Amino acid sequence: MSENDERKDAMTRRQFIRKGGYVAGGAIGGGILGASISQMFIPTAPEVSKTKNEVVQKADVERYNQALMFFNKQEDFKVLAQASERIFPADDLGPGAIDLDVPFYIDHQLAGAWGNNSRDYMLGPFYPGIETQGFQSHLKRNEIISQGITRIQSVSQENFKKKFTELNEQQQDDILAAFEKGKVKMKGVSSNDFFTLLRMSVLEGVYADPLYGGNRDMAGWKMKGFPGNQMSYLAQIESKDFLEIEPSSLHSHISSPKK
């Protein structure tokens, strides 16, 4: 097989996800970092002239939603961030989980009703469910993620004598793979269930509407060619050609308040 053919046959995890149309269009609708997260102010487009009715924006815009609501230890958040980036890494197709603000999306979800299982039946007895039922646990989602992050750190120390954030990509992958295969002991839940919950949260953060804190600048949608939240398709419905539609978020439908 030639080098050319090998290149064609190779498929990254990102390409696999990108080609799986069910992710953005179906269940969710509408993931490698260096040592730490330091970018708390994200540069945007340079300042341009505005009309008197428009607000002049700074060259550097403070993203006030980039603040922790659930995690109270920066180290735990960094572990979450790097684990998320390994699940959805940056590559030539586009940004990874961190640049898409997925860690902040997950943090905010864990602090809210979803993370606290506010709408779930949480009384026992709890028995291992069959495959179609999913896991059953007395633990809340934020407790599962918290325990999982703690176990990632301890497994990293046990196996490599280093923090998870100090490991190279392959070592991080090896640890996450152990969780995925259910080889790590956890209390009240299996490590596979934790990994499944984390992976699901990462993909939600990549493909959910930016309203929820992830999918920054709709880049997740743009990578898949997903149109996002369109008000109507009346202008395109009769077309027989394949159309590339610029994605639209819920924010796009806000009209300017009248004075």
Side-chain angles (χ1 to χ4, degrees):
M1 183 182 288
S2 68
E3 185 178 345
N4 233 3
D5 291 332
E6 289 178 350
R7 219 180 282 127
K8 289 181 181 178
D9 289 343
M11 178 182 287
T12 65
R13 287 174 295 168
R14 170 66 67 76
Q15 288 171 320
F16 176 80
I17 295 173
R18 187 173 187 264
K19 292 179 180 179
Y22 65 88
V23 178
I28 297 174
I32 301 316
L33 185 66
S36 64
I37 296 177
S38 60
Q39 184 181 11
M40 300 305 291
F41 298 91
I42 310 300
T44 58
E47 182 177 326
V48 294
S49 59
K50 301 286 183 178
T51 66
K52 62 181 181 181
N53 293 324
E54 293 178 303
V55 177
V56 177
Q57 297 182 347
K58 298 179 181 178
D60 293 328
V61 176
E62 296 181 11
R63 293 180 179 269
Y64 292 102
N65 66 335
Q66 288 192 337
L68 300 184
M69 298 176 65
F70 176 73
F71 287 97
N72 52 28
K73 293 181 180 179
Q74 284 288 338
E75 184 62 27
D76 289 346
F77 182 69
K78 291 175 183 179
V79 171
L80 169 71
Q82 292 199 19
S84 299
E85 186 77 6
R86 293 309 302 146
I87 293 172
F88 198 90
D91 60 17
D92 59 329
L93 296 174
I98 289 175
D99 285 336
L100 289 167
D101 289 344
V102 170
F104 289 103
Y105 164 84
I106 296 176
D107 171 82
H108 297 175
Q109 291 296 311
L110 293 177
W114 180 84
N116 286 285
N117 293 64
S118 298
R119 299 181 181 181
D120 295 352
Y121 181 82
M122 293 295 292
L123 298 179
F126 300 97
Y127 299 103
I130 62 176
E131 188 174 343
T132 55
Q133 292 177 313
F135 74 90
Q136 299 185 45
S137 175
H138 65 281
L139 298 175
K140 299 175 183 177
R141 294 185 184 93
N142 54 26
E143 293 173 327
I144 294 172
I145 295 295
S146 291
Q147 183 186 167
I149 295 300
T150 299
R151 290 296 288 130
I152 287 177
Q153 293 183 13
S154 60
V155 171
S156 178
Q157 288 290 343
E158 292 167 8
N159 293 356
F160 302 103
K161 308 302 180 184
K162 292 181 179 180
K163 297 179 180 179
F164 183 78
T165 54
E166 297 172 341
L167 302 181
N168 60 42
E169 299 170 9
Q170 186 57 57
Q171 291 170 330
Q172 290 181 337
D173 285 349
D174 290 345
I175 288 179
L176 292 177
F179 278 86
E180 183 180 17
K181 295 173 183 177
K183 294 182 177 180
V184 180
K185 290 185 179 181
M186 294 183 63
K187 296 180 180 179
V189 66
S190 73
S191 65
N192 171 261
D193 289 331
F194 156 70
F195 181 84
T196 300
L197 181 62
L198 175 61
R199 180 180 181 275
M200 178 189 72
S201 301
V202 169
L203 293 180
E204 286 179 354
V206 171
Y207 294 118
D209 192 282
L211 164 71
Y212 301 102
N215 191 11
R216 186 200 302 175
D217 300 326
M218 300 180 287
W221 291 347
K222 291 174 183 177
M223 282 188 282
K224 294 188 68 65
F226 183 66
N229 191 286
Q230 300 288 326
M231 291 292 284
S232 171
Y233 291 95
L234 287 177
Q236 299 90 3
I237 198 169
E238 297 294 336
S239 176
K240 297 180 180 180
D241 300 322
F242 178 81
L243 301 175
E244 293 187 9
I245 303 174
E246 189 69 21
S248 175
S249 70
L250 290 169
H251 174 77
S252 304
H253 310 318
I254 299 177
S255 57
S256 301
K258 295 181 179 180
K259 293 183 179 181

